[in-house]
Amino acid sequence: MSAAGTSLCYGNAMKIAGKPMRSIWVEPDGMSVGIIDQTLLPHRFETLRLATLEDAAQAIMTMQARGAPLIGTVAAYGICLALLPDASDENLERSCARLLATRPTAINLKWALDEMIAAIRNQPREQRIAAAYRRAAAICDEDVAINQAIGRHGLKLIEDIAAKKKNSERVNVLTHCNAGWLATVDWGTATAPIYMAHDKGIAIHVWVDETRPRNQGAALTAFELSQHGVPHTVIADNAGGHLMQHQFVDLVLVGADRVSVQGDVGNKIGTYLKALAARDNHVPFYAAAPSPSIDFSANDGGAIPIEQRSGEEVATVTGRTREGRIETVRIAPDESPVANYAFDVTPARLVSGLITERGVIAANRAALAAAFPERAGHAPKQTAAE
């Protein structure tokens, strides 16, 4: 039985020019790690070799590797790389602290580091490197299994909508940010049901939020969907409400960087606004939440840390010129202060359900505890106010 609770497996969703691959791998030398440099997409596809702890930390900080599950796997392999020159307890602790400080919002990072510590701590030093690589590889495989299970459970939602359509009309799904295979090891979280529906022959179309300020929707989700052949349209972030008002959206599917024990969903900035528009227009709003993204120590959304990134991400845009050059230009006045809140929290009351590897569940404390009883014992006690 896999981490996803089933042994049923699908092939790869991730394809580049028709060739299956994953978003992270061990290089032929058996030690260094390869990733896709996501900062160059969609205009250039290049891979990056990570050979040291600092390489892994920088890849996470600069968003060459991003997406909550992928951050966790890169951190896991970062520990492997850190142990190569020094497998001591002291270096293990320093390395975990370095990686934990890279990005604060996605809980998968801490989860993966805790998993690595548990696999390494009591091993003899001469066995720690091998143990670390085994656990990191297993974390990657578990991520794929979890996402496949999320895909199967979310597929049922899409099938139910398709069954009510007349004349084989398409199912319209709206996404925000990138919760696809680029954000995971394969399949993605919010995109897994979409890929499975498309592969099953269901007529499906995706409205892709551009997702300012880094444009992960326009640059990454659209790239993924193009590679898989899924019909889609890129839209401005502010168009979602209009589309919902005019019945052009059947379902909103987003990812989750951290889910509180109460069911509040921390995700890319702008997710909350989509949830509000969905509620006002009676459009179901689901968050794909793999179990490593559920923080049983966070009582509610107020306990989810919100990363604030450089204002340059808001004040500038990067793209390809007509001549084919990749350039960055400034769009805000030099003298204007810029704030860059990278995430927001959608209250559980606005979430139709959480798509987990163990099924589609309600966004509340009881449902999370029932779905994940082995972890629920670590959750804060419910207060009378709740």
Side-chain angles (χ1 to χ4, degrees), residues 81-306:
L81 297 171
L83 295 180
L84 291 174
D86 179 3
S88 68
D89 287 347
E90 294 77 13
N91 187 46
L92 177 61
E93 292 174 4
R94 283 195 302 270
S95 300
C96 285
R98 172 70 182 101
L99 289 164
L100 190 60
T102 53
R103 297 197 66 193
T105 300
I107 191 60
N108 304 64
L109 175 61
K110 182 180 184 302
W111 173 86
L113 292 173
D114 288 344
E115 290 291 309
M116 293 300 290
I117 291 172
I120 297 164
R121 175 75 75 185
N122 295 324
Q123 296 284 344
R125 289 195 183 186
E126 65 273 14
Q127 297 179 22
R128 287 184 171 186
I129 293 172
Y133 275 95
R134 284 195 302 270
R135 186 66 190 111
I139 287 172
C140 289
D141 290 341
E142 289 164 11
D143 179 70
V144 178
I146 285 172
N147 294 338
Q148 288 173 332
I150 286 173
R152 289 190 295 272
H153 295 306
L155 172 62
K156 181 65 166 57
L157 298 173
I158 295 173
E159 287 176 327
D160 289 347
I161 294 171
K164 298 174 184 176
K165 293 282 187 177
K166 297 178 180 179
N167 303 318
S168 299
E169 292 177 336
R170 70 189 189 184
V171 176
N172 286 294
V173 178
L174 186 141
T175 67
H176 191 69
C177 194
N178 173 257
W181 48 248
L182 282 165
T184 66
V185 178
D186 198 2
W187 283 97
T189 56
T191 58
I194 294 169
Y195 290 133
M196 290 184 185
H198 172 77
D199 292 349
K200 197 171 180 179
I202 295 173
I204 191 165
H205 168 265
V206 183
W207 297 108
V208 181
D209 274 359
E210 61 180 342
T211 319
R212 285 281 293 149
R214 293 189 63 93
N215 295 315
Q216 293 105 318
L220 304 180
T221 302
F223 173 80
E224 280 193 32
L225 296 173
S226 295
Q227 293 292 317
H228 204 91
V230 178
H232 63 281
T233 305
V234 177
I235 58 172
D237 286 347
N238 292 332
H242 169 78
L243 294 174
M244 292 184 216
Q245 280 183 327
H246 292 271
Q247 292 82 51
F248 293 150
V249 179
D250 298 300
L251 176 68
V252 179
L253 278 179
V254 301
D257 287 86
R258 188 182 304 219
V259 177
S260 78
V261 72
Q262 190 171 282
D264 307 311
V265 176
N267 196 52
K268 181 57 59 180
I269 193 76
T271 303
Y272 174 44
L273 293 177
K274 293 300 180 297
L276 287 170
R279 173 57 62 90
D280 192 50
N281 292 282
H282 310 290
V283 175
F285 176 99
Y286 286 88
S291 56
S293 296
I294 302 169
D295 184 359
F296 280 87
S297 70
N299 192 49
D300 54 36
I304 298 175
I306 300 300

